[in-house]
Amino acid sequence: MPKLLAVAAALAAGMGVGRFVFTPILPLMQAQAGLSPHLGAALATANYAGYLLGAAAGIALPALTGSRMALRGSLVTLVSTLALMPVFPYAGAWLTLRLIAGVASAVVFVIAAQAVLAEFRAHLVGWAFGGIGLGIALSGALMLRSSGSWQSAWFAAAALASVFAALSWPLTPGRPTASTASDGRSRWFVALVVCYTLEGVGYIIAGTFLVAAIDQRAPGALGAGAWVVVGVAAVPSAALWAHLGRRRSRPTLLLAVLIAQAIGIALPVFSGSVLAALVSAVLFGGTFLGAVTLALAVGTHLRVARSAPVLTTAYAVGQIAGPLVVAPLLRDGYSSALLTGSVIVGCGAVAAAFVRHRFPERVPA
């Protein structure tokens, strides 16, 4: 269990704080640092581009996933980039720091995932991935209790990430695993790649702009509070969906996850009430890790060679595209962006329906 907790802490630092803390800080930077919506989208894209580079490094250099030095170096780099954001208040510096943070987050993710997948059963893997939700919840809570300046918010995020990094410091990475052979089930896998790419586009739009959209409709602490709810809902979600996936058809569950997520993303567009914000947060937080868990499980079930790297790359490409797709819509606020994200996730659900059609629930050896 100590290793499971260390993996959860690494994921909390690398993903929950390192990647997603920008979401609750974004409204503060817009109000106090003069950050434009377009620059906000560019910063998000830079971070996701860095994540793609880090994920690609994990594919090209398999030994990286078993390197303790790479893990520790990435954790230190990640904390440093968070702390340096208020030190260098220039657009070029911010873009560079978020790009580097994305690379570090991806390296932490692939090493931590390798460590836990090599040793633990699906439901325990789900709880380890719940560390991402814990990082989101605690970073959101910090934003609620911060002094109110965007500079102090970044310093607080760096401090929180350093605590998680210290807890994960003893983690011993797992050994890289060899790819399995494909049995040619390309029809379902192609549909799955399309589904997962669209999910990457749609979910990251909400993951970047949800708090700002809620703040725009309901000023005050509601946006940051909703982000805490997202994290709390995410903590048990991966374990829950992994557990259900042992008893129900995974493509059917993936379809249900994407429909629920599309509804959750769209809710703040139609209502600025507290109830709508909370329901949106629960639906989004309870599904985005579920989509990851189920999609990777379906790819593994189909026994397509290197399915996980292919799906991770497709997801990363979708995340880069998300902010770019909605950037022209941000002139009048965030409602159009969220609605677009909801529609794209809905298209992903259509692709999931194709995966579900006559899916081979039993794959012969």
Side-chain angles (χ1 to χ4, degrees), residues 61-186:
L61 304 170
L64 188 69
T65 63
S67 171
R68 175 181 279 185
M69 183 179 296
L71 173 64
R72 291 180 172 180
S74 296
L75 288 169
V76 171
T77 299
L78 186 72
V79 173
S80 300
T81 60
L82 296 172
L84 289 173
M85 285 291 287
V87 176
F88 299 100
Y90 312 105
W94 288 342
L95 288 167
T96 301
L97 289 170
R98 292 311 288 161
L99 177 72
I100 295 171
V103 175
S105 292
V107 173
V108 171
F109 179 82
V110 296
I111 293 175
Q114 174 67 44
V116 74
L117 289 170
E119 295 189 24
F120 296 98
R121 294 186 178 184
H123 69 288
L124 292 176
V125 171
W127 283 113
F129 275 78
I132 299 173
L134 179 63
I136 290 173
L138 291 182
S139 61
L142 266 185
M143 298 309 105
L144 285 174
R145 297 182 62 85
S146 68
S147 65
S149 72
W150 68 272
Q151 294 97 333
S152 65
W154 282 110
F155 286 134
L160 179 62
S162 67
V163 171
F164 284 128
L167 292 173
S168 63
W169 201 255
L171 177 62
T172 301
R175 293 182 179 180
T177 55
S179 299
T180 57
S182 169
D183 66 354
R185 299 179 182 274
S186 59

Side-chain angles (χ1 to χ4, degrees), residues 173-265:
R175 293 182 179 180
T177 55
S179 299
T180 57
S182 169
D183 66 354
R185 299 179 182 274
S186 59
R187 181 177 73 178
W188 292 282
F189 190 68
V190 169
L192 179 65
V193 170
V194 172
C195 168
Y196 203 48
T197 303
L198 292 171
E199 160 65 3
V201 176
Y203 117 88
I204 206 61
I205 292 172
T208 304
F209 301 118
L210 183 64
V211 171
I214 292 174
D215 276 348
Q216 194 174 55
R217 296 289 302 274
L222 183 57
W227 193 242
V228 175
V229 175
V230 168
V232 171
V235 170
S237 65
L240 172 63
W241 292 110
H243 176 75
L244 292 175
R246 298 168 63 187
R247 292 165 170 77
R248 298 286 187 271
S249 166
R250 291 189 183 100
T252 300
L253 292 174
L254 181 60
L255 175 62
V257 160
L258 295 180
I259 291 173
Q261 187 179 118
I263 294 171
I265 293 173

Side-chain angles (χ1 to χ4, degrees), residues 15 19 44-60 64 98-107 109-110 197 308-321 324:
M15 303 292 290
R19 288 199 73 198
T45 300
N47 187 250
Y48 307 145
Y51 186 81
L52 176 59
L53 292 174
I59 296 171
L64 188 69
R98 292 311 288 161
L99 177 72
I100 295 171
V103 175
S105 292
V107 173
F109 179 82
V110 296
T197 303
V310 171
L311 288 169
T312 300
T313 301
Y315 197 62
V317 170
Q319 290 177 106
I320 293 172
L324 297 177

